[in-house]
C-alpha cells in the first residue's frame, strides 16, 4: 500500500497499519515542504516523525520528536545568545546531523532517508515527495513567513490571507516516488493537513494526473467543523474550503474515490454525492493503537471492495 503522509495524524494511522499488514509492503510518500535548515543542518519534521514511529522512537505523548529526549544543546546555545527557529532535542539533532552529512557528501534527500531508514531497522519504504526544495509560505497581514515560523514561533496565531508552496512549479516527483506510483494501484491519504501536509505532495507537477488513475482513499483530519489537531481549519479557510469533511473531499475531488469520516461527524452524507466520492464512517481519532488497527482494517476492506 502507498500512503501520502504529513506529520502527526498519518503516522498514527501508520502505527496501526503496520500491525495489520507486512511493514515491508508499506510505502510512505512524505511531505517535505515544511523542511527547514537549523544551525547548519536540514530538519525534515514530517519525515522524521514517520521514521521515529516506524523505529519505535517516537514520543507518543506529542507525536513528534524522540521519546525521553533532552534539550541541553538547545538550552546551552540559547544561553550563549543563539536562538534556534525550532527547539531540537539532543537525540533528534543527531538525525539531522547524519542526514546533512549525507547531503554534503552528494547524496540526494531520497538516498539520505533510505540510509537513515536502514540504520534504524525500518522495513517500510519512506520516501520524500521530491529531492527538490519546496517551502510552504504563509501570507499574513504582516507579510510572508515560512510555515515553521508561523506555527512554531507565532503559534499559528496570525491571520492567514493565503498559503502557497514556493518552488512547487519547478520541483519534480522523485524517481523513487515515480517508481512506487508505477507499481501501486492503491493510494491512501492519511489524516494530515490537506493544505500544508498533503497539498504539497499532490501539488507536484503531474501528481494529480497519476492519482486520477488510482483507487484513492482518504481519512479526514476534520471532525465536524474542527481539525483534530494543528492549523488545518485556518489554512483551509484561507484557500476557500469549508472547515469540514466536505471541505477535505473538495480538496481531493479530482481523484478521490472514498473518504473516511469520523463516526461522530455531523456531516450529511448526501452532500458528498456531487464530489463523486463514497463516504464511510469510523472512529478516526485513533487514541490507541488498537483503534488505528481497526481503522486500517476498514481501509483495507474498502480497497478490496
Amino acid at each position: 500500500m502507498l500512503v501520502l503522509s504529513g506529520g502527526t495524524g498519518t503516522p498514527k494511522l501508520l502505527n496501526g497499519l503496520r500491525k495489520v499488514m507486512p511493514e515491508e509492503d508499506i510505502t510512505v510518500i512524505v511531505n517535505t515542504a515544511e523542511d527547514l535548515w537549523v544551525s547548519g543542518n536540514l530538519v525534515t519534521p514530517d519525515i522524521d516523525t514517520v521514521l521515529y514511529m516506524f523505529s519505535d522512537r517516537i514520543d507518543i505523548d506529542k507525536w513528534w520528536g524522540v521519546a525521553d529526549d533532552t534539550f541541553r544543546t538547545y538550552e546551552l546555545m540559547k544561553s550563549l545568545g543563539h536562538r534556534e527557529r525550532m527547539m531540537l532535542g539532543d537525540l533528534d539533532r543527531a538525525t539531522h546531523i547524519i542526514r546533512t552529512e549525507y547531503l554534503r557528501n552528494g547524496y540526494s534527500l531520497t538516498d539520505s532517508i533510505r540510509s537513515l531508514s536502514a540504520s534504524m531497522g525500518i522495513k517500510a519504504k519512506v520516501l520524500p515527495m521530491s529531492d527538490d526544495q519546496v517551502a510552504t509560505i504563509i501570507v499574513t497581514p504582516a507579510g510572508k513567513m515560512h510555515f515553521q515560523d508561523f506555527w512554531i514561533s507565532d503559534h499559528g496565531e496570525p491571520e492567514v490571507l493565503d498559503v502557497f508552496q514556493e518552488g512547487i512549479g519547478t520541483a519534480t516527483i522523485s524517481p523513487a516516488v515515480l517508481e512506487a506510483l508505477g507499481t501501486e494501484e492503491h493510494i491512501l491519504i492519511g489524516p494530515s493537513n490537506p493544505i500544508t501536509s498533503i497539498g504539497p505532495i499532490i501539488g507536484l507537477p503531474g501528481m494529480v494526473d497519476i492519482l486520477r488513475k488510482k483507487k484513492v482513499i482518504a481519512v479526514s483530519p476534520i471532525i465536524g467543523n474542527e481539525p483534530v489537531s494543528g492549523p488545518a481549519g485556518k489554512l483551509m479557510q484561507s484557500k476557500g474550503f469549508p472547515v469540514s469533511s466536505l471541505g477535505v473531499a473538495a480538496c481531493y475531488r479530482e481523484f478521490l474515490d472514498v473518504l473516511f469520516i469520523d463516526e461522530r461527524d455531523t456531516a450529511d452524507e448526501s452532500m458528498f454525492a456531487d464530489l463523486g466520492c463514497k463516504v464511510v464512517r469510523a472512529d478516526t481519532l485513533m487514541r490507541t493503537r488498537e483503534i488505528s488497527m481497526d481503522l486500517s482494517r476498514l481501509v483495507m476492506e474498502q480497497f478490496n471492495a
Side-chain angles (χ1 to χ4, degrees), residues 90-244:
D90 299 318
L91 301 177
D92 182 35
R93 192 183 298 270
T95 301
H96 312 319
I97 292 171
I98 294 170
R99 174 175 41 245
T100 305
E101 239 351 72
Y102 280 129
L103 295 173
R104 290 193 177 115
N105 285 319
Y107 281 56
S108 66
L109 181 58
T110 296
D111 287 339
S112 74
I113 299 306
R114 279 174 169 161
S115 296
L116 278 168
S117 294
S119 299
M120 294 179 181
I122 296 171
K123 297 178 182 178
K125 297 180 185 69
V126 180
L127 302 174
M129 68 182 200
S130 176
D131 289 323
D132 299 315
Q133 185 173 337
V134 178
T136 290
I137 304 299
I138 308 297
V139 182
T140 75
K144 300 175 184 177
M145 63 178 68
H146 192 279
F147 174 82
Q148 298 296 356
D149 295 321
F150 164 79
W151 184 236
I152 296 176
S153 301
D154 288 353
H155 311 292
E157 294 175 357
E159 178 186 355
V160 179
L161 303 178
D162 195 12
V163 183
F164 68 94
Q165 276 75 43
E166 191 173 75
I168 195 72
T170 56
T172 59
I173 304 169
S174 75
V177 169
L178 282 174
E179 181 182 357
L181 287 166
T183 58
E184 181 57 69
E185 294 304 314
H186 294 165
I187 311 295
L188 171 60
I189 301 178
S192 295
N193 188 318
I195 305 300
T196 55
S197 293
I198 305 301
I201 303 175
I202 64 178
L204 288 167
M207 184 63 81
V208 167
D209 290 337
I210 294 172
L211 294 178
R212 286 192 183 114
K213 301 173 184 177
K214 311 293 184 179
K215 182 168 184 178
V216 181
I217 294 177
V219 178
S220 175
I222 307 290
I223 299 177
N225 300 110
E226 294 290 337
V228 174
S229 64
K234 180 179 286 191
L235 300 177
M236 288 178 70
Q237 285 180 323
S238 76
K239 302 302 292 184
F241 293 105
V243 184
S244 64

Side-chain angles (χ1 to χ4, degrees), residues 42-113:
L42 180 64
V43 181
T44 61
D46 289 355
I47 290 175
D48 293 340
T49 298
V50 173
L51 293 177
Y52 296 151
M53 186 282 300
F54 276 122
S55 60
D56 295 313
R57 303 178 187 194
I58 191 80
D59 184 335
I60 59 173
D61 292 327
K62 299 182 296 187
W63 275 95
W64 57 267
V66 179
D68 301 318
D69 209 346
T70 56
F71 296 86
R72 295 179 65 187
T73 302
Y74 173 86
E75 294 296 344
L76 178 56
M77 293 173 75
K78 182 179 176 181
S79 72
L80 296 174
H82 181 77
R83 184 68 177 262
E84 292 184 312
R85 293 168 77 182
M86 302 178 76
M87 186 174 178
L88 303 178
D90 299 318
L91 301 177
D92 182 35
R93 192 183 298 270
T95 301
H96 312 319
I97 292 171
I98 294 170
R99 174 175 41 245
T100 305
E101 239 351 72
Y102 280 129
L103 295 173
R104 290 193 177 115
N105 285 319
Y107 281 56
S108 66
L109 181 58
T110 296
D111 287 339
S112 74
I113 299 306

